[in-house]
Amino acid sequence: MMAKFKTIITTAGAAKIAAVLAGTASIVLDNTAKMAVGDGNGTLPTPSPAQTKLVKEVHRAPINRASIDASDPKNIVAELVIPPETGGFWIREMALYDAAGTLLAVGNMAETYKPSLSEGAGRKMVIRMVIAVSEVSAITITMDTTTVMATQDYVDSEIDKHAKSRSHPDATLTAKGFTQLNSATNSASEAQAATPKAVKTVMDATNLKAPIASPALTGKPTAPTAAQTVSDTQIATTAYVKAAVAALINSSPDVLDTLGELAAALGNDANFATTMTNQLALKAPLASPGLTGLPTAPTAAAGTNTKQLSTTEFVQSAIAVLNAAVTSALALKAPLASPALTGAPTAPTAAQTVNNTQIATTAFVKAAVTALVNSSPAALDTLKELADALGNDANFATTMTNQLALKAPLASPVLTGAPTAPTAAAGNNTTQLATTEFVSRAVSPALLMRGDLPANANLNNYGPTPDFIGKWGKYSSVGATIANGFPEDGAVGDVEILPYNQFGGGQRYTVRGGRMYLRNLTGVWNGLDGPWSDWFEIGGLSSNKVLPGTVTSLSDAAWFAQNTTYILSGARGDGPVGLTAGQSNAVILSLRRSGGTIMGLCQLMFTPAGTYERRGEPNAAAKWTAVTWYPGGDANGWRLVGADAMAAIGQGISSQNYTTLDWQQFDFVSGQNIMVNVSQWANAPAGLPYVAGDIVTVECIIARNNADRYVVNVTSQSTGNGNRKDYRVVIYGAKGSRAFGVDQLFTSDSSTVIPIINGGTGGKTAAEARTNLELKTAALRDVGIGANQIPDMSFFTGVKADTGYQKLPSGIIIQWGLAAATIGVLSQKAYPVAFPNAALHVFLTHNVPNDVAGVGLSGARTQGSTTLFDYQIQSLKVNGTDVTAAASGSAAMSMHFLAIGY
């Protein structure tokens, strides 16, 4: 589909681009370049390269911005911003002018209305024009960005590009910028920023610390124990306190806080240290003891899993339990070789492309079977079902091949015998086969003879279908009634069912005697009985039907229910009032509205007394039993055609007598013809010299629509010479203040003298006319060449050419031309025209270069011929030297001749 809206380079723009590429011009789009918009003079225009301007420009302003399209570098985008205060026009077209004023491109656009603030709905409008250019480098874009208005789309685009760009400065300790995030809590970097996770980690750790000021410690807080020598604000631990007390009491318990008690505790052994050292030497150390002999220990309970020493008894018991568990676990496992699995063992399902020793799961098998069935229906997804479908025929392919050999191909089949096919509906226009029946109906449905109609046939049921299209006969009047859809009762004849018109069909009925009727479908065929229009007679004005004398009403529904024409003999009760019986011998044409409820009736009656017409509205409920005739006619609704209008303007009847005529107030009508006595008019125009008692006729020939100007002719009805003066009066202005212009229309009245200023001679006789027109005796001369006659230009015929002639009124003919000659040779030359009587003289002269001194001629003689002359050149002198025929070698030349004769 061709694009409806487009932008194209103009012829001027293309030429300038070509000049730029040739280096002879430049195209600049800067802040002085302009865009224009127009309303296309009310319609959407089609851009043309030949345009030199918009169809109808409504606004022009400098462009706001020009740039290369980021999405297509071969496109240039120009932008025009129309401010809110500018508007009040439609926009259907746009144009781009470069800085030099050249129209580069034109385009059309979806029409939009640009309101202005004064209309109460001002808005800013941005018009963008995208121009495809084969060489973008040919156009120089130099925009002063300080004067560019940033549109919302431009700002959004720039923000989007900025957001997607990675070209941003990094943040420093002194400037903002992009920075990398870091979740570490022990980093010393000053170029990275802590994430919320790092902050949370630090805060969680901080929340577990006590404040420096008045901490409320809980649990068992600890602190470094100060030396006993420290005496300041450092926290004193219990150890510090105990040490201080121990130092005070020498660290002795109550029973050992004296030297006596201590000595008793030592067994009063002065060598207690040596004694203990010797005893400790016999003990095993806690760290990596090297026991000897058969050390024993308590056996831990089964299942103990601590640092308690395990005895051999504990180990043996654990091994026995382990062996039993392993034996039980192995009993539940399948062997690698020939395992006998039970229950519902599972395994990974291999891909359908796997073909090795991997276990095939049920899912693998199902998928393989599904691929084999290949989406076959449930009734054909087993070999038995497929065999049944093939009829259990092992030679199914051969059987089908033999059967297909008996069929016709889809492409170009060659059928034999008498093939048949369904007959398409009338009007079918597809690739469906056309049967002979279809062709016969389509080519000549009217000639498809159907035979006689059934006796009870109702034509309303005979629609444009294959069962009815064609020609039917009705050879009996039985059943041929209006009620059965026939055009008239007793209509013996032929009916043609025709497929035509926008709703698909019609009927044409020809009755015996030659009258023809036609009716059409008024809607789509309903398949039963229509809807049909009324029958109307074709060529009804030439009808020879006589309305029976028994029909006394000219609106009798039984006779006038259809459009028809009758011959009338004698008067009817509802005929035109006042017509005699003889005048009532007429022709009546009766027309009624076609289709649906009866809404209107029009009748024309052509009588010897004139044409009468009446129009009325039959009573819809009572059909035609009652008709309301429209007003304006006689008692029966009849009115003489044109009588009222013609009487109003005085056409076709005698002039209308008026008892008064006020020239300032009278309403003149074009074509009006009135008669009035001069003594009975008022405010007559000056310049009408009629006297009281004169009868004049006033005929209006022009009446302007606005009724302030009329042109009338005023004619006297006097029969005497000198009194029949006609005048044309121009009337202009409003009633009561009309002005008049009066000019006399001069007639052939013998007493009337037409002044020269009015196109006359100012005299009553020819002599007076010549005197007044200052004509001298030449005015009395006839045209001719005789005595006292004046020749006209027909006596001066001739041909103006190098070879020509001129005829003079006296009969003298002057002829001239060029003649070829050879020195010493007698030649002949025909005259341009033959002299009627005689050639009197022939003169010759040379036609040689300017440096020839002279020519000697032997002379020319006519020898009495009126059609040609003889001539001979004996010699000619060139530069003072005689040249003879012998010396010149019969040199050829040309010469001029002049002949006189009559």
Side-chain angles (χ1 to χ4, degrees):
M1 178 178 178
M2 184 176 293
K4 183 177 182 181
F5 305 108
K6 59 184 177 180
T7 300
I8 62 173
I9 301 294
T10 64
T11 302
K16 198 160 189 180
I17 291 175
V20 171
L21 297 177
T24 60
S26 64
I27 299 176
V28 177
L29 294 181
D30 58 13
N31 297 87
T32 64
K34 295 183 178 181
M35 281 181 65
V37 294
D39 66 3
N41 207 18
T43 59
L44 181 68
T46 299
S48 169
Q51 282 187 241
T52 59
K53 61 180 181 178
L54 292 178
V55 176
K56 183 180 179 184
E57 182 176 316
V58 296
H59 177 69
R60 184 185 297 200
I63 61 176
N64 180 59
R65 186 166 66 97
S67 61
I68 297 175
D69 192 346
S71 62
D72 189 347
K74 288 188 177 294
N75 289 346
I76 289 180
V77 181
E79 181 180 272
L80 172 66
V81 177
I82 305 176
E85 61 271 14
T86 300
F89 47 76
W90 285 90
I91 300 177
R92 300 182 180 91
E93 54 181 336
M94 52 187 172
L96 175 63
Y97 298 85
D98 67 359
T102 301
L103 178 60
L104 298 179
V106 294
N108 59 359
M109 58 182 286
E111 63 178 5
T112 182
Y113 185 74
K114 174 60 176 72
S116 65
L117 287 175
S118 61
E119 294 176 322
R123 59 184 171 89
K124 180 178 70 178
M125 180 177 288
V126 180
I127 305 295
R128 290 189 182 89
M129 195 172 186
V130 181
I131 309 165
V133 184
S134 59
E135 292 292 339
V136 177
S137 59
I139 300 178
T140 303
I141 301 176
T142 57
M143 298 298 300
D144 181 0
T145 57
T146 62
T147 64
V148 173
M149 178 186 294
T151 64
Q152 184 63 47
D153 290 344
Y154 176 81
V155 172
D156 292 343
S157 173
E158 292 302 310
I159 290 176
D160 183 65
K161 289 193 291 184
H162 179 76
K164 294 178 180 178
S165 171
R166 308 305 299 174
S167 179
H168 305 291
D170 291 335
T172 67
L173 294 175
T174 59
K176 296 179 180 179
F178 274 25
T179 183
Q180 183 178 354
L181 300 177
N182 192 339
S183 295
T185 59
N186 59 349
S187 173
S189 172
E190 292 184 338
Q192 296 177 333
T195 65
K197 178 180 179 181
V199 175
K200 183 178 184 300
T201 301
V202 173
M203 289 303 298
D204 290 344
T206 302
N207 290 334
L208 297 177
K209 303 300 180 181
I212 293 177
S214 303
L217 303 176
T218 61
K220 293 181 179 181
T222 61
T225 300
Q228 287 297 308
T229 58
V230 175
S231 179
D232 55 18
T233 59
Q234 183 176 351
I235 292 176
T237 66
T238 56
Y240 179 89
V241 175
K242 283 288 188 181
V245 173
L248 178 63
I249 64 172
N250 198 21
S251 303
S252 296
D254 291 342
V255 294
L256 290 175
D257 59 354
T258 65
L259 292 176
E261 291 172 345
L262 288 173
L266 294 176
N268 293 317
D269 186 354
N271 297 312
F272 181 81
T274 301
T275 300
M276 294 306 297
T277 301
N278 293 335
Q279 290 293 324
L280 288 172
L282 299 175
K283 302 298 181 181
L286 290 173
S288 305
L291 303 176
T292 61
L294 296 171
T296 62
T299 299
T304 300
N305 187 15
T306 66
K307 293 181 179 182
Q308 182 179 350
L309 287 174
S310 62
T311 65
T312 56
E313 182 183 16
F314 179 87
V315 172
Q316 289 297 328
S317 175
I319 290 173
V321 173
L322 177 62
N323 286 336
V326 170
T327 300
S328 298
L330 289 175
L332 298 175
K333 303 298 180 181
L336 290 175
S338 303
L341 304 176
T342 61
T346 61
T349 299
Q352 287 297 307
T353 56
V354 175
N355 185 13
N356 54 26
T357 59
Q358 182 178 347
I359 291 177
T361 65
T362 55
F364 180 90
V365 174
K366 282 289 187 182
V369 171
T370 300
L372 177 63
V373 173
N374 194 21
S375 302
S376 296
L380 292 174
D381 59 359
T382 67
L383 294 177
K384 183 180 185 308
E385 290 171 343
L386 289 173
D388 291 342
L390 296 177
N392 292 317
D393 186 355
N395 299 311
F396 180 77
T398 301
T399 301
M400 294 308 299
T401 300
N402 294 335
Q403 291 295 322
L404 288 173
L406 301 176
K407 305 299 180 181
L410 288 176
S412 306
V414 181
L415 304 176
T416 59
T420 62
T423 298
N428 188 304
N429 188 15
T430 66
T431 56
Q432 182 178 347
L433 284 177
T435 64
T436 55
E437 182 182 18
F438 177 85
V439 173
S440 297
R441 293 173 179 175
V443 173
S444 185
L447 298 179
L448 189 59
M449 304 304 295
R450 291 290 193 171
D452 196 8
L453 285 169
N456 60 345
N458 188 323
L459 291 186
N460 293 327
N461 306 136
Y462 281 60
T465 64
D467 293 333
F468 298 114
I469 293 175
K471 188 172 184 178
W472 301 80
K474 182 61 176 173
Y475 306 120
S476 170
S477 61
V478 177
T481 64
I482 293 176
N484 282 337
F486 287 80
E488 59 183 56
D489 288 332
V492 175
D494 298 312
V495 63
E496 296 166 274
I497 313 301
L498 307 171
Y500 70 91
N501 93 357
Q502 62 175 326
F503 297 119
Q507 294 179 346
R508 181 167 57 208
Y509 200 102
T510 304
V511 300
R512 185 167 55 193
R515 293 194 309 279
M516 186 178 293
Y517 296 87
L518 188 69
R519 70 173 178 176
N520 303 313
L521 284 173
T522 59
V524 177
W525 170 246
N526 61 18
L528 181 63
D529 58 359
W532 295 105
S533 69
D534 291 331
W535 287 103
F536 62 91
E537 186 176 357
I538 302 174
L541 287 176
S542 60
S543 173
N544 58 0
K545 292 185 296 184
V546 177
L547 187 67
T550 56
V551 180
T552 59
S553 172
L554 297 179
S555 61
D556 189 324
W559 294 89
F560 293 91
Q562 306 289 345
N563 299 324
T564 186
T565 304
Y566 290 109
I567 297 174
L568 301 180
S569 178
R572 298 299 195 275
D574 59 346
V577 176
L579 289 186
T580 64
Q583 292 174 329
S584 296
N585 294 331
V587 174
I588 183 171
L589 171 64
S590 184
L591 304 173
R592 56 159 290 184
R593 179 184 181 275
S594 298
T597 304
I598 300 172
M599 293 299 293
L601 171 66
C602 178
Q603 292 182 319
L604 287 175
M605 188 170 175
F606 305 94
T607 76
T611 300
Y612 290 84
E613 63 94 16
R614 68 176 177 178
R615 289 169 293 142
E617 181 178 346
N619 184 294
K623 297 297 182 181
W624 284 45
T625 57
V627 179
T628 300
W629 301 107
Y630 297 144
D634 58 22
N636 294 325
W638 294 100
R639 58 193 296 171
L640 184 64
V641 174
D644 49 356
M646 301 300 281
I649 63 174
Q651 294 293 312
I653 57 178
S654 301
S655 297
Q656 302 299 299
N657 287 315
Y658 278 75
T659 57
T660 60
L661 174 60
D662 188 339
W663 286 83
Q664 283 290 348
Q665 300 296 330
F666 191 80
D667 291 319
F668 293 95
V669 179
S670 178
Q672 187 177 40
N673 191 310
I674 64 175
M675 187 168 56
V676 64
N677 191 312
V678 173
S679 60
Q680 295 171 328
W681 67 23
N683 299 312
L688 295 180
Y690 302 116
V691 297
D694 285 345
I695 304 299
V696 298
T697 298
V698 180
E699 177 188 11
C700 181
I701 59 176
I702 297 175
R704 284 257 295 264
N705 288 338
N706 54 9
D708 66 354
R709 181 165 300 223
Y710 309 93
V711 178
V712 300
N713 287 341
V714 184
T715 304
S716 171
Q717 296 187 17
S718 174
T719 59
N721 284 347
N723 296 324
R724 295 194 307 270
K725 293 181 179 180
D726 295 347
Y727 294 89
R728 176 160 294 162
V729 181
V730 178
I731 308 168
Y732 50 94
K735 288 183 178 181
S737 59
R738 290 173 174 171
F740 304 95
V742 180
D743 292 305
Q744 184 177 357
L745 302 177
F746 295 96
T747 65
S748 59
D749 191 324
S750 59
S751 64
T752 301
V753 175
I754 303 175
I756 295 176
I757 193 173
N758 293 111
T761 63
K764 296 181 179 180
T765 65
E768 291 177 353
R770 289 195 296 271
T771 300
N772 294 336
L773 297 175
E774 299 182 359
L775 299 177
K776 306 303 181 181
T777 56
L780 299 173
R781 308 298 185 190
D782 292 332
V783 175
I785 58 174
N788 294 322
Q789 291 183 325
I790 300 176
D792 60 17
M793 292 308 296
S794 64
F795 295 101
F796 293 90
T797 59
V799 174
K800 297 178 182 179
D802 287 342
T803 298
Y805 64 90
Q806 178 67 62
K807 293 183 179 180
L808 302 178
S810 63
I812 294 295
I813 303 175
I814 303 173
Q815 305 194 55
W816 60 87
L818 287 173
T822 302
I823 298 176
V825 178
L826 181 64
S827 301
Q828 291 182 332
K829 174 66 178 179
Y831 298 119
V833 295
F835 289 108
N837 299 296
L840 301 177
H841 297 284
V842 179
F843 303 93
L844 298 106
T845 184
H846 66 84
N847 181 29
V848 296
N850 294 332
D851 58 355
V852 177
V855 177
L857 302 175
S858 66
R861 56 186 181 276
T862 64
Q863 295 183 334
S865 174
T866 59
T867 60
L868 53 84
F869 62 90
D870 298 332
Y871 58 95
Q872 183 174 357
I873 302 174
Q874 283 297 101
S875 65
L876 85 117
K877 185 177 289 185
V878 179
N879 295 327
T881 303
D882 289 334
V883 178
T884 64
S888 65
S890 300
M893 62 176 294
S894 65
M895 58 187 177
H896 295 284
F897 72 86
L898 179 67
I900 300 175
Y902 66 96

